[in-house]
Amino acid sequence: MRLPILTLTAIVTLFAAADARAQTYDPRYPVCMHVYMPGGFGGGGGDYFDCSFTSLPQCRATASGRSASCDVNPYYAFDEPPQPPRKRHKKVQ
């Protein structure tokens, strides 16, 4: 009885782990372009994010004529002030 339960637990764990996705937003840039890919004959469409833009007008110029939209990056830290460098203390021997 223990072997079927362990087998079932292993299978469920594998299926749950398969749904993990990578982060789609780059936190270094404030604007992302969401590009929509059309599905072909057998499907296979999809979309992706290109977070390499510093302004909305720059992103909109790149997205012009494409199946894409520009959005503000929700993971960009807008309000964080620059951090001063940390002081390093020397060890006294």
Side-chain angles (χ1 to χ4, degrees):
M1 182 67 183
R2 192 181 320 191
L3 185 61
I5 292 174
L6 290 175
T7 304
L8 182 62
T9 303
I11 291 171
V12 169
T13 303
L14 287 174
F15 281 121
D19 291 334
R21 294 180 63 183
Q23 182 176 350
T24 56
Y25 296 98
D26 187 351
R28 296 176 294 172
Y29 295 97
V31 179
C32 295
M33 179 172 61
H34 188 180
V35 181
Y36 305 96
M37 304 292 289
F41 173 70
D47 55 347
Y48 66 93
F49 289 89
D50 179 8
C51 296
S52 61
F53 301 98
T54 56
S55 67
L56 278 172
Q58 178 190 23
C59 178
R60 288 181 181 142
T62 305
S64 178
R66 299 173 69 180
S67 178
S69 64
C70 296
D71 301 312
V72 175
N73 187 348
Y75 295 100
Y76 182 74
F78 285 99
D79 296 327
E80 287 187 16
Q83 298 290 328
R86 293 179 56 182
K87 294 181 181 177
R88 295 185 180 202
H89 299 286
K90 293 183 178 180
K91 287 186 178 180
V92 178
Q93 293 183 2

